[in-house]
Amino acid sequence: MERPAVGELTPPNRTLMGPGPSDVHPRVRRAMTTPLVGHLDPAFVDLMDEVQELLRYVFRTDNEWTVPISGTGSAAMEAAIANLTEPGDTVVVPGNGYFGGRMASMVERVGGETVTVDAPWGEPLDIDDVRAAFDAHDPDLLAFVHGETSTGVLQPDVPALTELAHDNDALTIVDAVTTFGGVELKVDEWEVDAAYSAAQKCLSAPPGASPLTLGERAMAKIEGRESPVNSWYLDLTELTDYWGEERAYHHTAPITNVYALREALRLAAEEGIEARWERHERVANGLRAGIEAMGLELASTSWLPSLNTVRLPADIEDSTVTDELLDGYDIEVAGGLGDLSGEILRIGCMGHSARRSNVLSVLGALGDVLGESDGIDADAGLAAARKELSN
């Protein structure tokens, strides 16, 4: 076999305005170039304490069991579901987006039974529908998505859902992949039992070390399981020996990704989490104002500042727009998934990407691409965005 002729790595320099990853902050990139140490090195053990402290700050929690899972956000999702779901448990899951479907698949793979609460894609779950599911099925768990990446829907009034679950002796699992570090999220105040996220969205770090937090009720259920967790790698009764006081070997942590996560969390703490939430909303408001003034509309009824779904004219395919933006402007946005496939654009406004210059760039490029379509006024879109962002 001949030696592969592979040249130096030269990825294109994109502006990442899709559903994730977002633009990595220069300080995070710099942190990833620092010297590698072992995963049980005393210096790394000290760093682990710092990461956990920072994670608690951004989650707004005092939960002892707050850790980064070695893997992407889907690994954190699977860790939460696999540890909290025993065979035969009934879990209420959402049916209003792509990632609710992923939750359901994971529940079924570990032997749980799913009850789906449906809502149209683009709309949040109705609390009355969730209550009806509880009345009919007496579930053990309620899992739901705080910010649905496929639809741009923010689930409002999280405390109402957690209260409903607790009144019925059920635990809650919250998907905060697209909200953690960018949209208001208060784990303790909202009485969330378990929440997970990812590093590459509102934190603007590379994927690979994903935040997870578990409250006392959740840990009590895990520690009292009658059957072992069906994943060795994600078994939190084992992982807690590494991330707990013992710091006992479990697996080799993704050290460089933890460096990156630490620096991204440090940036969030320096900005102040409330100020960071406000920045995301302010910059995304400029994007929304420009989209609407241009002649387009959002596809969701409950706005998620970090992920904006834009309904395209009926005669335009989403892939045509995403390809032209990537090829002609080095701007990444995404098309629709599932029920919204082909119909929408998904434009992120997350972390280091949530900047005035990025919003104006994506609106200008989008105006160029759609300029020949009926009802599109690119100049009005840019003017409205500038006015909103100047406020």
Side-chain angles (χ1 to χ4, degrees), residues 355-372:
R355 288 177 285 158
R356 182 181 190 274
S357 58
N358 281 13
V359 166
L360 296 179
S361 293
V362 75
L363 286 171
L366 184 60
D368 288 347
V369 171
L370 298 178
E372 301 300 319

Side-chain angles (χ1 to χ4, degrees), residues 152-154 280-281 284-285 288 298 300-305 307-308:
V153 167
L154 179 67
H280 278 76
E281 184 170 354
N285 256 322
R288 180 170 68 169
L298 297 185
S300 64
T301 61
S302 182
W303 180 52
L304 174 59
L307 197 286
N308 300 264

Side-chain angles (χ1 to χ4, degrees), residues 296-318:
L296 300 170
E297 62 180 20
L298 297 185
S300 64
T301 61
S302 182
W303 180 52
L304 174 59
S306 52
L307 197 286
N308 300 264
T309 47
V310 180
R311 194 171 298 281
L312 289 168
D315 60 338
I316 296 178
E317 186 78 16
D318 58 4

Side-chain angles (χ1 to χ4, degrees), residues 8-23:
E8 185 178 352
L9 179 65
T10 56
N13 188 14
R14 310 286 200 198
T15 299
L16 301 179
M17 294 293 287
S22 60
D23 288 338

Side-chain angles (χ1 to χ4, degrees), residues 30-41 43-44 47 252-260:
R30 192 159 58 245
M32 296 181 72
T33 67
T34 55
L36 200 67
V37 297
H39 55 285
L40 294 174
D41 188 297
F44 190 71
L47 183 149
T252 303
I255 296 158
T256 302
N257 284 94
V258 177
Y259 288 173

